[in-house]
Amino acid sequence: MNTTIRKIGNSEGVIIPKEILDRLGLKAGDSVEIREQDGGIHLMPEQADLAEQLKAARVGMEKYRIALRELAK
């Protein structure tokens, strides 16, 4: 399946056909991981567990930023 790179604001992007989104269980607003690999680009659905862990880590780092800053000295 082919698609064209299009101008989107100051960036560029591609439209992912609905059939592919349906097969992967993705919808607008979902996060994907982009990997540059073997001279190509691979889009992978972001794993919910990892996304939730990263979100929790960010919350914890913000909550304890002063303590973490002191520990880093």
Side-chain angles (χ1 to χ4, degrees):
M1 190 171 289
N2 294 324
T3 189
T4 302
I5 297 174
R6 301 169 190 245
K7 186 83 170 151
I8 303 172
N10 290 331
S11 299
E12 284 144 13
V14 295
I15 304 298
I16 302 171
K18 184 171 180 4
E19 308 87 63
I20 292 175
L21 293 174
D22 289 345
R23 279 197 303 258
L24 296 174
L26 294 171
K27 63 186 179 312
D30 287 348
S31 294
V32 293
E33 180 182 342
I34 301 173
R35 292 184 186 173
E36 185 179 350
Q37 194 173 21
D38 300 327
I41 298 170
H42 296 261
L43 293 176
M44 310 278 292
E46 186 176 61
Q47 295 186 7
D49 292 342
L50 177 59
E52 289 176 22
Q53 290 172 3
L54 290 173
K55 183 178 179 181
R58 286 187 191 100
V59 168
M61 287 187 290
E62 179 61 29
K63 183 175 181 180
Y64 298 108
R65 72 176 185 273
I66 295 170
L68 291 170
R69 189 177 301 135
E70 290 299 316
L71 288 170
K73 290 183 182 180

